[in-house]
Amino acid sequence: MASEDDTFGYIGDLTQCTSQKLGKITVEVDSLVTHLKEAIRKVGKDGRVIHIAHSQGALITYLAIKKLEKEEMMQMEIMCFGGAEVIRSTKEFPFARCINYYSVNDPLLFIVPQAARALRSGFMGMGYGRMSSNSGGAEGEDLVASTLAAMADPNAEPEFIFLTPREGDPVKDHGLFEKTYLDALRWEGRRYQTLYLPLWHPLTYTAMIYSRAFLSAFHDAFVNILKVILKHTVIRFVMMTMSVNAWLKEKVCMPFALLLYMLWDKVKDLIRMIRGEDIYQPVVILPIEEASE
């Protein structure tokens, strides 16, 4: 796919797959070529690129590898699961390793004749079987010839591996992360760890897992302790402070402010007396009868 969101659905996939079967180079093919070349460049001349393809991805890979140099192919291992195309290691495509996994009830066996013939004949093809591009015989004969030629090689391994269905449903068994192909993926993962990771890697990985678990537990404990502290100390202190402030405002601040206001009135009267200014006398209100006399 050109991106993780490049999902067209079954109809779109079938249409695209048909055009790719006819050899059309799509955007996905060009994107994969760029990705593979960049990955090979990053690992260097002594590195190894492990490429996993599933279903239509195997067909896209088959079209993309035609644009790679042989030196680049020799640094690649390709694993196809339920592929819409078979990829094998030949003189034309000298990959370090090619494996094609198929569930025996995979629907794609109906459109991949080479895989179907391998299943019917029992000849699975062998690694390093590069006679197939120059043998001149039929494709089935090439498969048999490459198998027999490589059987004496103790390092050879079959290029076709047919798996017993785990689900019993062709659609589910075709899924990469369903039980059938997931077992093969796990096996490939263990092989990768054994061949390409240093001996101390399992210890480092285990230490990393335990460290993450410890940090996670420590984080949870710290958060819980912080919550308890906030609940029983900080929050209570804030509430007490708010209560004290309310009491001071009502019982101290307001009476004190009123007293200061009264004293200031007296001070102003005293200042007017010293200056000889008029001092207002309290007004005496007489009864109505006395006022009329």
Side-chain angles (χ1 to χ4, degrees), residues 10 54 105-107 167-176 178 181:
Y10 289 116
H54 171 252
N105 67 341
D106 196 310
E167 298 286 354
D169 181 347
V171 176
K172 284 188 175 182
D173 287 314
H174 177 69
L176 180 61
E178 297 295 340
Y181 290 141

Side-chain angles (χ1 to χ4, degrees), residues 13-22 54-59 82-86 102-103 105-117 119-120 139 160 174:
D13 285 344
L14 287 173
T15 303
Q16 190 180 56
C17 189
T18 302
S19 64
Q20 289 169 343
K21 270 286 189 182
L22 297 175
H54 171 252
S55 192
Q56 184 187 357
L59 177 57
E85 184 61 71
V86 169
Y102 285 95
S103 173
N105 67 341
D106 196 310
L108 267 70
L109 288 172
F110 291 103
I111 63 172
V112 185
Q114 190 174 355
R117 278 194 291 270
L119 177 60
R120 289 195 301 268
E139 186 177 350
F160 290 94
H174 177 69

